[in-house]
Amino acid sequence: MYMIYIVLAVLFLHISIMRIVLCFEVFFDSDEKSALVTVKLFFITVFKFTPNYNKVVDTATDVTKTVEKTSGKLLRYLARAGTKLIRRIDFRYLGLICNLGTGDAATTALIFGWINSAFDGACSVLDCDNYSEITPDFDMARFYVDFGGIISLCIADIIYAAISALFVKKKTVVKKSLAQSKI
């Protein structure tokens, strides 16, 4: 009887520390008014979502209203858990293909430079392979983006991030004694 429990415990440990490979791709094109989100688990498509273009544009403008209505404690917990999880994720590859135009050459150049430096800086900090093809379109207002990547993590990382976000150490203020402040 105890042997079954030992086998189940060993099986659980193996599954919880096994690396899970996730591929993701986000596609958005303002000319064709189409969008697509794809998630693959071990390179097999498990989630494919084609949002309504008009809803995506309307939702992007209403994000601040939704954030204000959400509980502050829940947002703080999700932010802590998210940052702890991102630290434990192994980013293997990030790719960005973007064609951007605002109709104004100066604004397009500023946004182009910001996106290019932000993407290259993020890939440098995350220490992953990257590919970027960002082209400005100075003549017309257009937005095309194809962003994807490959990440790996294990179930134990998710459990660790969720549990450690619950237990937050309170910052303590160290008061200087009078003897230290006079020196």
Side-chain angles (χ1 to χ4, degrees):
M1 182 70 173
Y2 292 111
M3 193 60 125
I4 293 173
Y5 293 127
I6 292 172
V7 169
L8 289 176
V10 169
L11 186 63
F12 174 74
L13 286 174
H14 281 287
I15 290 173
S16 67
I17 62 173
M18 180 179 73
R19 300 300 286 179
I20 299 170
V21 179
L22 291 173
C23 303
F24 62 92
E25 183 177 359
V26 178
F27 170 77
F28 184 81
D29 191 1
S30 64
D31 287 346
E32 296 180 11
K33 297 189 177 187
S34 63
L36 177 68
V37 177
T38 307
V39 177
K40 297 178 181 180
L41 178 66
F42 296 112
F43 303 101
I44 299 171
T45 303
V46 293
F47 179 74
K48 190 179 243 185
F49 177 63
T50 306
N52 186 356
Y53 175 79
N54 295 327
K55 279 188 175 182
V56 170
V57 173
D58 293 340
T59 305
T61 57
D62 295 335
V63 167
T64 56
K65 294 177 184 175
T66 306
V67 169
E68 290 173 357
K69 291 179 184 177
T70 309
S71 170
K73 289 183 180 181
L74 177 65
L75 282 177
R76 285 193 297 272
Y77 170 74
L78 290 176
R80 284 192 307 267
T83 55
K84 290 183 183 292
L85 186 61
I86 285 176
R87 290 178 189 158
R88 302 188 65 85
I89 290 176
D90 180 24
F91 288 88
R92 295 182 178 187
Y93 172 80
L94 289 177
L96 176 67
I97 299 172
C98 181
N99 190 347
L100 172 72
T102 61
D104 179 29
T107 307
T108 300
L110 287 172
I111 295 173
F112 168 76
W114 182 84
I115 290 174
N116 200 7
S117 64
F119 181 73
D120 289 340
C123 289
S124 169
V125 168
L126 296 173
D127 192 30
C128 64
D129 295 333
N130 64 346
Y131 173 77
S132 65
E133 184 181 318
I134 305 170
T135 55
D137 190 355
F138 296 112
D139 297 330
M140 58 187 268
R142 178 170 200 267
F143 185 67
Y144 169 88
V145 65
D146 189 1
F147 177 71
I150 301 172
I151 62 171
S152 67
L153 72 154
C154 57
I155 296 172
D157 293 335
I158 299 170
I159 295 169
Y160 171 77
I163 291 174
S164 65
L166 288 175
F167 303 108
V168 179
K169 294 181 182 177
K170 302 253 180 182
K171 294 182 180 178
T172 58
V173 178
V174 179
K175 295 182 180 181
K176 294 181 178 180
S177 64
L178 290 175
Q180 289 178 344
S181 62
K182 289 182 181 179
I183 297 176

